[in-house]
Amino acid sequence: MAATPNIYGILAEFETPADAMHAAEKVRDTGFRKWDVFTPYPVHGMDKAMGLKNSKVGWFSFIGGVTGYTSGMVMIWWMNAVDYPIPIGGKPMFSPFGAFPPCYELTILLGAFGALFGMLFMNRLPRLHHPLLKHRRFALATHDRYFIVIETTDPKYSENETRKLLESVGSKRIELVEE
Amino acid sequence: MSSPTNSNTLPPMDLSRWRSVPTLLMLIGGALAAFGAFHDYRQFSYSWLLAFMFFLSLGLGGLILVILHHLFDAAWSVATRRICENLACLLPVMAFMFIPIALNVLFAHHDNIIYAWVQKLRDGEMDHALASKQPLFTIKGFFIVSIICFVVWWVLSNRLRYWSLKQDQTGSVECTRMMRRYAAVGVFLFALTLTFGAIMWMKSLEHEWFSTMYGVYYFAGSVWITIYTVYTLTLILKRQGPLREVATEKTFYYIGSLMFAFTVFYAYITFFQYFIIWNANVPEETFWFIQREAGNWFYVSLVIIFGHFFLPFLMLLRIDVKHKAWIMVALGVWAWLMHFVDMSFNIMPVLHTKGYHLDWMDLACAAFIGGVLSKVFLKNFNAHAPFPQQDPRIAEAMDVYVPADEYVQAATAKGLKPKSGGSH
């Protein structure tokens, strides 16, 4: 007999977004931490039903933006007023007004980088494979089914209890997902 | 979670003791302004112009928000549409408030005249700037522009409200279509009239100056203060009851986002107006800003940079702040203050060349106009339903799902024939 494969988590299938949303509320209230909901499209109110806090990605873009702005100002000041001053039309060697447009662009650039890379970092992306992708029915998450997945690494996870919970919230089809 | 933006259980506040405030403002402000007109007519004229331009912003902002609602077939602004319509209906009142300015242009002499170019015209001292702005900068041109502005604003605000009230009664598709037609034509007329108004009444204080961004600059500031005001009004009306069902948490989030957008837009316009002039460095343009660096005007400009932009910008960055009632109301009060400073910065350096000085007549004129407008607003608001009762997107705005066939049944029950290709 082959060794039993590791179990990644438990997958519960729902047929309507409302069912998935109510189930998510129950799972949230039970106190699970490592779990997620998969839907074919964004479902309004799901964040709240899952108890998700505001994303931290904003901080990455904020810090990126501030870095872009200050580094732009410092760079232009250093180049034009310190390292290689060129007098033009009697204007000051450095003025925050003249330097503003490139700094503004740098703010946006690094802010966007912050958002993109912050998002990848928070999502632990890129990764080459995910156990769920191997699961046959999970492909329906891009079609017409709604899934809740609770990972085995969650401290509250127990195969029987969690299965009962997901049954009680109305899932007709509950399966284990192999690692 | 029971923040005031999503709670329907908080009891209404007792606002009865504020009821007499508009009347008091009107009477005391009016008496003081009238006294001021005899005491120091020159100061009075500029103070009046300041108060006029300040409150004109609210009417124009209300009008464009209504127009945008119809143009974009928006759902989020259903709850605030009637408030904006009532704000827009203050514009005809502003025509009466224009009378002191009109009288000044017609009859005042020499130092008392608000617009220096009017005196120059009378004396026949045509300078180059004035000559190149003919025939706009003539007494006739001034009044033609002013009359066109007020007629356009009166027609637009009046018609948009007429069809809106009719929609409350009948709910017919025709009303929606008519409002969209007025909005589609109105948005162009609005842009033109606002630009001409800002040029003739405010920018022409220094007729030598030119800035192609001046109209949009006034527009940005106007919508900025209006949207802050609309947030506060919506919040109060939700708490007091009238908008309880229709102004949801989402409504406040969207208004808050628009507040943020216009904070940035105003800063963008203001900065680039300065930047382009700074960069070109042509004396015909730069003098306007040099004047505004004299004395403590320099610090006023810093107050605008940090108070009009940075403070609200940093405050509104976070999503959750858009639901924190006290921060948002405080920002609304702050916005009024900042717009007042902004308008002073545009108008007052002509009078107080050495530095900013808050005159008691500034406050008296603002109190009078504000008092009158509040009374008109409250009267209009009380006369009609607090939000559009039969807007095609009312269910969506209220977060209620109504299946399509129920619409048809309801319409058939009312004896209406649902036509194909309806309002949306």
Side-chain angles (χ1 to χ4, degrees):
Chain A
M1 220 169 108
T4 28
N6 287 330
I7 302 299
Y8 167 75
I10 191 162
L11 175 87
E13 188 177 315
F14 297 89
E15 293 193 352
T16 68
D19 287 349
M21 186 112 101
H22 295 312
E25 281 164 358
K26 279 277 163 53
V27 175
R28 171 196 70 193
D29 293 341
T30 319
F32 283 100
R33 301 222 147 274
K34 298 197 156 191
W35 63 291
D36 211 344
V37 180
F38 299 88
T39 59
Y41 50 84
V43 177
H44 284 285
M46 190 59 94
D47 288 22
K48 214 177 228 176
M50 290 174 69
L52 289 182
K53 294 229 170 62
N54 190 8
S55 157
K56 294 216 169 18
V57 171
W59 284 104
F60 287 90
S61 32
F62 181 72
I63 292 166
V66 170
T67 313
Y69 186 79
T70 41
S71 61
M73 280 286 171
V74 170
M75 176 181 76
I76 293 169
W77 164 77
W78 167 254
M79 293 191 306
N80 286 0
V82 180
D83 192 38
Y84 202 93
I86 306 174
I88 301 165
K91 286 186 178 176
M93 288 302 169
F94 174 76
S95 160
F97 303 113
F100 182 80
C103 296
Y104 174 72
E105 302 291 342
L106 267 177
T107 311
I108 292 170
L109 182 71
L110 294 203
F113 281 167
L116 176 66
F117 293 113
M119 179 276 291
L120 291 178
F121 175 72
M122 298 301 283
N123 282 330
R124 303 199 185 124
L125 289 172
R127 57 185 292 176
L128 296 173
H129 182 67
H130 193 279
L132 283 171
L133 298 177
K134 203 163 58 174
H135 193 270
R136 208 168 26 85
R137 291 200 58 92
F138 186 70
L140 293 173
T142 62
H143 186 51
D144 63 350
R145 291 299 146 93
Y146 307 81
F147 292 96
I148 289 183
V149 177
I150 301 177
E151 295 176 26
T152 45
T153 48
D154 191 293
K156 289 213 131 190
Y157 179 87
S158 100
E159 197 179 321
N160 288 331
E161 292 300 311
T162 311
R163 184 182 284 270
K164 265 185 209 147
L165 171 81
L166 289 169
E167 270 166 10
S168 75
V169 293
S171 173
K172 298 272 177 341
R173 194 175 183 117
I174 298 171
E175 290 175 31
L176 292 178
V177 181
E178 290 172 4
E179 191 76 64
Chain B
M1 292 253 293
S2 71
S3 75
T5 58
N6 72 356
S7 164
N8 284 343
T9 51
L10 289 170
M13 293 174 290
D14 179 22
L15 297 179
S16 55
R17 66 202 159 113
W18 298 97
R19 202 158 282 164
S20 54
V21 168
T23 317
L24 283 176
L25 282 176
M26 187 176 83
L27 292 179
I28 298 175
L32 285 174
F35 170 72
F38 290 102
H39 172 69
D40 181 354
Y41 179 70
R42 188 170 153 77
Q43 172 68 50
F44 164 79
S45 309
Y46 283 93
S47 295
W48 186 272
L49 181 67
L50 170 64
F52 175 82
M53 293 309 289
F54 178 87
F55 283 107
L56 186 69
S57 293
L58 286 174
L60 290 173
L63 181 58
I64 193 68
L65 289 174
V66 177
I67 289 178
L68 291 179
H69 170 92
H70 294 302
L71 284 184
F72 288 98
D73 187 12
W76 71 269
S77 50
V78 172
T80 59
R81 194 177 104 202
R82 189 55 51 81
I83 297 177
C84 294
E85 282 167 7
N86 284 330
L87 282 175
C89 285
L90 300 178
L91 285 169
V93 184
M94 290 313 287
F96 290 100
M97 298 300 169
F98 187 69
I99 291 171
I101 300 167
L103 291 177
N104 181 289
V105 171
L106 283 176
F107 301 117
H109 291 290
H110 303 288
D111 279 353
N112 280 339
I113 225 159
I114 308 178
Y115 304 104
W117 61 269
V118 174
Q119 186 61 41
K120 287 202 159 199
L121 272 184
R122 289 217 186 105
D123 296 345
E125 287 175 25
M126 192 71 88
D127 60 20
H128 175 71
L130 197 51
S132 56
K133 287 171 187 175
Q134 300 297 317
L136 187 60
F137 278 46
T138 53
I139 309 269
K140 218 187 254 172
F142 182 86
F143 281 103
I144 290 174
V145 165
S146 306
I147 289 168
I148 291 176
C149 284
F150 285 116
V151 168
V152 165
W153 298 336
W154 174 69
V155 169
L156 284 178
S157 59
N158 183 283
R159 289 292 90 188
L160 282 167
R161 195 167 67 148
Y162 170 82
W163 286 106
S164 173
L165 293 176
K166 196 158 186 183
Q167 187 190 50
D168 278 6
Q169 306 299 322
T170 66
S172 87
V173 172
E174 190 204 3
C175 303
T176 310
R177 286 197 180 137
M178 284 309 287
M179 285 189 278
R180 285 192 191 156
R181 259 174 227 153
Y182 276 108
V185 180
V187 72
F188 293 103
L189 293 175
F190 176 87
L192 288 172
T193 47
L194 179 139
T195 307
F196 272 108
I199 289 176
M200 287 316 283
W201 303 333
M202 200 153 71
K203 199 179 83 160
S204 77
L205 284 165
E206 284 147 298
H207 69 279
E208 302 93 340
W209 194 54
F210 43 93
S211 161
T212 46
M213 290 178 105
Y214 203 73
V216 75
Y217 167 63
Y218 183 68
F219 167 78
S222 295
V223 183
W224 184 74
I225 179 166
T226 309
I227 195 78
Y228 278 62
T229 310
V230 167
Y231 188 103
T232 309
L233 288 174
T234 313
L235 190 66
I236 294 172
L237 289 169
K238 182 178 172 73
R239 177 79 185 260
Q240 299 306 103
L243 295 185
R244 186 158 284 180
E245 303 306 326
V246 73
T248 62
E249 202 176 3
K250 267 195 313 195
T251 314
F252 290 96
Y253 171 69
Y254 291 135
I255 307 176
S257 305
L258 201 61
M259 285 162 75
F260 182 73
F262 267 89
T263 304
V264 177
F265 181 61
Y266 170 85
Y268 172 79
I269 294 297
T270 312
F271 175 77
F272 275 97
Q273 177 172 270
Y274 184 90
F275 177 71
I276 290 167
I277 291 173
W278 176 87
N279 205 22
N281 207 9
V282 182
E284 285 88 336
E285 295 171 338
T286 49
F287 82 93
W288 197 85
F289 285 108
I290 291 168
Q291 240 178 22
R292 280 156 183 77
E293 284 175 12
N296 59 14
W297 282 118
F298 176 75
Y299 298 101
V300 175
S301 63
L302 290 187
V303 166
I304 292 174
I305 294 173
F306 288 96
H308 204 304
F309 172 63
F310 274 106
L311 180 86
F313 173 78
L314 293 172
M315 296 283 270
L316 290 171
L317 261 182
R318 291 181 61 95
I319 286 182
D320 51 357
V321 169
K322 297 181 181 82
H323 296 294
K324 295 222 163 69
W326 290 111
I327 297 182
M328 297 302 273
V329 171
L331 270 180
V333 175
W334 180 252
W336 273 51
L337 184 67
M338 279 302 109
H339 191 59
F340 192 79
V341 171
D342 187 29
M343 290 296 106
S344 304
F345 183 75
N346 274 275
I347 292 168
M348 286 302 172
V350 182
L351 179 65
H352 301 296
T353 46
K354 295 210 174 71
Y356 180 63
H357 151 77
L358 177 71
D359 200 88
W360 59 268
M361 271 186 257
D362 294 352
L363 300 177
C365 293
F368 174 71
I369 299 185
V372 173
L373 295 183
S374 315
K375 282 181 84 78
V376 175
F377 180 87
L378 290 172
K379 189 174 147 277
N380 285 340
F381 184 81
N382 286 327
H384 307 290
F387 58 89
Q389 306 288 296
Q390 306 217 40
D391 191 283
R393 296 212 177 256
I394 187 87
E396 198 180 334
M398 291 168 94
D399 259 347
V400 183
Y401 174 66
V402 183
D405 44 337
E406 275 182 35
Y407 264 127
V408 178
Q409 277 167 18
T412 327
K414 272 191 195 167
L416 300 168
K417 274 186 208 149
K419 285 183 213 158
S420 59
S423 62
H424 57 273

